């Protein structure tokens, strides 16, 4: 390729990234579980590395951390979930046929709650959808489909076609069902709709859940996934057909329908433990406009130490997800600290508890240490894809912010092109740490090395991504591999450097594209930026 701009490329070191990934994903760090021994080691390692790079502590009290108060919910052994259809009881094997998350601490018990099919489970006044309108959901448990009504309809029903939108996220379905009075939600697992294989949710079944402290009681007693064949069997025994129901549910007039003679029971006990987790924050004060910020972030956490899997391994090392992104942020800190001082202050953040619902970044966005109004942009590094060199970078959530133009320019300078994410139905835009900032109106981008590999092209890239998602994503086998070249990781970090360097040196305030809802949120703080020398992009 014509790497004309290599003179501008920063000295991102594959070797330093490799060493950070190796250490952070070693068994010694025990899968970097928040509140576990791995957190202490990770926070210490990152703080030391930022200090060694010459950065200043970025925490609110002059330390390297921001405390994040959390509660850990452990489901104790012995929990049960069972269906009854007519006179036939169908106990489900948790972690194999279904999953069960009990949402309140202490003992929960739901006995013979009537089951209802809720279609896509969407309640969205603006779009005119209400799956539960006029249906008495009190005391019932709803079975819903994953994703939004049009993702596989081959037409746009108002939910942006194949791309996942917020009402299609399972969290939105839980909220809608709870509001309607339901006791529980069971989601039918289909690979495409969920965007990950059942094995992944099944293996995560016994993992603890984390929420912000103080704990608020949940009106929803439980939620879970049903393996596809289990759901099909349940529907058939109630005289219904999954595919026919899907067609029926792709209509704003659809209302939840009872599953005749079908009930569900769930019971078990949850232990709640309060603890303090930590975001790690470092800063490089700006030369001429220190009150304006560019923020790089990556989540440091993985899934910690859990019960052993089929191979007897209990540590989900999180080497790719997300020791690579964390190592990139460390390397960016080193490169920036060595280079000419940027005009704006750069914040380097390693977030906790992303895997538990973006909790660390969400906490920072709600309790910002540096004003969000004068944070010009957030660059999130959570790649979980290929490691060899690629010809492209993959942009998550296309068409939202002017930062994307800067990304395309930066990538172009490094001889790379920007490819839109190939699976917008997976909703990655909502699934990593840029999103809490997006909701607060801060222009943010997330991207990762692309799949068009220098060696083997898109076919080779797709094969690597497919294998990773099927076998390693969130599993104990997401572990360090000495054969990795980290060439793609260096590309990610180099592009991130290019975007952030320019943003930190110029006076621009990237905005949101016309019609993007987050632009209105940003506009609320226009006055704070109007007094500064910078202008709109
Ligand atoms: Zn991740």
């Amino acid at each position: 390729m014509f790497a004309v701009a290599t003179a501008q490329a920063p000295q991102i070191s594959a070797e330093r990234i490799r060493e950070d990934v190796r250490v952070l994903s070693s068994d010694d760090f025990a899968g970097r579980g928040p509140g576990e021994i791995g957190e202490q080691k990770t926070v210490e390692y990152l703080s030391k590395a930022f200090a060694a790079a010459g950065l200043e502590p970025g925490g609110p009290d002059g330390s390297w951390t921001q405390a994040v108060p959390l509660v850990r919910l452990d489901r104790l052994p012995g929990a049960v979930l069972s269906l009854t259809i007519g006179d036939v009881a169908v106990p489900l094997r948790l972690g194999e046929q279904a999953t069960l998350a009990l949402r309140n601490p202490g003992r929960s018990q739901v006995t013979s709650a009537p089951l209802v099919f809720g279609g896509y489970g969407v309640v969205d006044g603006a779009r005119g959808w209400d799956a539960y309108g006029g249906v008495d959901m009190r005391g019932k448990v709803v079975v819903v489909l994953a994703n939004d009504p049009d993702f596989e309809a081959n037409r746009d029903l108002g939910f942006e076609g194949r791309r996942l939108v917020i009402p299609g996220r399972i969290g939105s379905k839980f909220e809608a069902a709870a509001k309607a009075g339901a006791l529980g939600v069971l989601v039918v697992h289909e690979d495409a709709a969920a965007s990950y294989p059942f094995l992944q949710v099944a293996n995560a079944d016994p993992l603890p859940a984390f929420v912000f402290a103080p704990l608020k009681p949940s009106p929803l007693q439980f939620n879970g996934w049903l393996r596809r064949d289990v759901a099909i069997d349940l529907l058939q025994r109630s005289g219904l057909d999954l595919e026919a129901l899907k067609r029926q549910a792709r209509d704003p007039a659809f209302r939840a329908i009872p599953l005749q003679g079908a009930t569900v029971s769930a019971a078990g006990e949850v232990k709640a433990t309060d603890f303090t987790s930590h975001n790690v924050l470092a800063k490089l004060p700006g030369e001429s406009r220190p009150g304006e910020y560019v923020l790089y972030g990556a989540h440091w956490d993985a899934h910690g130490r859990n019960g052993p899997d089929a191979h007897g391994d209990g540590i989900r090392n999180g080497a790719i997800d997300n020791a690579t992104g964390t190592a990139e942020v460390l390397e960016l800190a080193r490169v920036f600290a060595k280079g000419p001082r940027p005009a704006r202050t750069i914040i380097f953040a390693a977030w906790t508890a992303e895997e538990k619902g973006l909790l660390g970044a969400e906490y920072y966005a709600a309790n910002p240490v540096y004003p969000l109004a004068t944070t010009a942009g957030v660059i999130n590094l959570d790649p979980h894809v290929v490691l060899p060199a690629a010809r492209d970078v993959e942009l998550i959530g296309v068409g939202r912010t002017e930062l994307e133009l800067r990304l395309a320019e930066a990538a172009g300078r490094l001889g790379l092109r920007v490819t839109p994410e190939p699976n917008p139905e997976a909703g990655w835009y909502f699934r990593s740490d840029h999103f809490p900032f997006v909701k607060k109106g801060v222009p943010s981008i997330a991207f990762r090395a692309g799949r068009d590999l220098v060696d083997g092209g898109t076919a080779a890239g797709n094969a690597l991504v497919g294998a990773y998602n099927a076998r390693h994503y969130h599993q104990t086998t997401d572990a360090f591999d000495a054969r990795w070249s980290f060439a793609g990781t260096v590309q990610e970090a180099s592009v991130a450097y290019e975007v952030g360097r320019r943003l930190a040196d110029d006076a621009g305030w990237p905005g949101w594209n016309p019609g993007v809802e987050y632009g209105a949120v940003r506009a609320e703080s226009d006055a704070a930026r109007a007094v500064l020398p910078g202008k709109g992009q």
Side-chain angles (χ1 to χ4, degrees):
M1 299 307 293
F2 303 101
V4 284
T6 43
Q8 296 173 336
Q11 297 303 306
I12 300 282
S13 158
E15 285 317 305
R16 285 191 296 259
I17 288 177
R18 171 196 300 278
E19 179 58 11
D20 287 332
V21 172
R22 188 189 66 78
V23 174
L24 288 166
S25 64
S26 62
D27 280 359
D28 201 32
F29 280 63
R32 304 187 306 281
E36 299 178 3
I37 179 71
E39 163 155 4
Q40 205 184 317
K41 293 196 175 188
T42 304
V43 168
E44 219 176 272
Y45 183 84
L46 297 178
S47 308
K48 278 191 184 149
F50 282 130
L55 271 72
E56 293 181 12
D61 53 0
S63 77
W64 292 101
T65 57
Q66 176 184 38
V68 181
L70 297 179
V71 184
R72 174 183 169 122
L73 300 171
D74 284 282
R75 194 186 75 200
L76 302 181
V80 290
L81 178 68
S82 67
L83 305 172
T84 302
I85 303 136
D87 296 331
V88 186
V90 186
L92 298 175
R93 290 187 299 279
L94 294 178
E96 193 185 324
Q97 295 176 300
T99 71
L100 175 67
L102 299 166
R103 296 172 71 106
N104 285 309
R107 175 101 194 141
S108 291
Q109 177 124 26
V110 171
T111 308
S112 303
L115 277 166
V116 168
F117 175 73
Y120 289 90
V122 169
V123 176
D124 183 343
R127 289 181 168 91
W129 287 64
D130 186 357
Y132 308 118
V135 183
D136 183 2
M137 291 298 295
R138 284 169 303 173
K140 294 176 184 156
V141 170
V142 61
V143 176
V144 297
L145 301 164
N147 221 295
D148 59 38
D150 57 11
F151 98 99
E152 59 180 2
N154 294 321
R155 64 205 152 101
D156 188 345
L157 299 172
F159 297 86
E160 300 185 23
R162 195 160 70 93
R163 170 146 110 176
L164 177 67
V165 295
I166 289 177
R169 304 189 67 205
I170 59 170
S172 307
K173 295 170 199 260
F174 296 161
E175 269 172 44
K179 231 177 182 170
L183 285 178
V185 181
L186 294 169
V187 188
V188 178
H189 187 279
E190 295 190 283
D191 286 357
S195 84
Y196 28 76
F198 185 73
L199 180 72
Q200 194 199 314
V201 294
N203 284 352
D205 179 62
L207 298 187
F210 290 65
V211 292
F212 286 120
L215 193 61
K216 292 187 202 75
S218 165
L220 211 57
Q221 298 301 306
F222 70 91
N223 60 267
W225 289 97
L226 290 179
R227 202 173 67 192
R228 186 168 187 270
D229 62 295
V230 172
I232 287 176
D233 183 57
L234 164 69
L235 295 170
Q236 272 173 356
R237 288 172 193 253
S238 308
L240 298 165
D241 171 73
L242 176 63
E243 293 307 317
L245 283 174
K246 275 189 193 174
R247 285 191 293 275
Q248 220 177 313
R250 283 181 201 133
D251 182 338
F254 173 86
R255 294 290 180 270
I257 48 178
L259 295 180
Q260 292 303 338
T263 64
V264 61
S265 298
E269 193 158 346
V270 166
K271 185 178 91 170
T273 313
D274 283 85
F275 74 103
T276 302
S277 193
H278 303 86
N279 291 326
V280 182
L281 298 170
K283 73 174 164 190
L284 183 67
E287 180 73 40
S288 53
R289 294 199 303 282
E292 301 174 22
Y293 306 91
V294 171
L295 191 152
Y296 285 102
H299 70 88
W300 61 253
D301 67 306
H303 282 284
R305 184 189 283 282
N306 319 117
D309 67 6
H311 315 286
D313 188 351
I315 298 176
R316 296 171 194 238
N317 306 75
I320 292 181
D321 183 13
N322 187 29
T324 53
T326 307
E328 287 177 54
V329 167
L330 285 181
E331 180 62 5
L332 285 163
R334 294 185 192 108
V335 169
F336 269 103
K338 263 189 269 169
R341 189 59 73 95
R344 287 172 161 157
T345 295
I346 304 192
I347 306 299
F348 299 90
W351 310 119
T352 182
E354 187 269 357
E355 302 290 5
K356 311 299 180 184
L358 322 182
L359 299 179
E362 193 82 55
Y363 188 82
Y364 180 100
N367 305 274
V369 182
Y370 305 95
L372 297 183
T374 54
T375 298
V378 169
I379 300 164
N380 180 34
L381 293 160
D382 187 9
H384 17 130
V385 276
V386 296
L387 295 160
R391 296 191 185 95
D392 60 343
V393 293
E394 200 167 287
L395 172 62
I396 312 300
V398 179
R400 261 100 173 192
T401 148
E402 290 163 1
L403 270 180
E404 295 167 30
L405 298 174
R406 290 169 175 261
L407 176 73
E409 286 165 13
R413 287 196 292 276
L414 298 173
L416 301 165
R417 60 173 204 285
V418 175
T419 304
E421 56 180 328
N423 301 104
E425 71 277 15
W428 284 109
Y429 193 63
F430 312 119
R431 286 169 56 184
S432 189
D433 295 315
H434 52 282
F435 191 60
F437 292 92
V438 165
K439 286 189 291 181
K440 295 281 185 185
V442 183
S444 308
I445 45 169
F447 64 91
R448 48 199 184 191
R451 303 178 187 202
D452 185 6
L453 302 188
V454 170
D455 196 2
T458 310
N462 280 336
L464 271 181
V465 173
Y468 176 74
N469 284 338
R471 293 204 293 271
H472 306 301
Y473 179 48
H474 291 176
Q475 309 296 324
T476 55
T477 51
D478 181 1
F480 180 74
D481 185 334
R483 291 167 298 180
W484 288 339
S485 74
F486 288 100
T489 315
V490 167
Q491 288 176 320
E492 285 159 2
S494 302
V495 172
Y497 177 86
E498 286 288 319
V499 177
R501 176 87 231 179
R502 301 255 170 152
L503 188 58
D505 280 337
D506 71 27
W509 295 103
W512 292 92
N513 294 351
V516 176
E517 62 195 291
Y518 312 112
V521 187
R522 187 62 161 172
E524 289 168 18
S525 64
D526 276 350
R529 289 180 297 280
V531 298
L532 298 168
K535 296 275 175 295
Q537 170 148 307

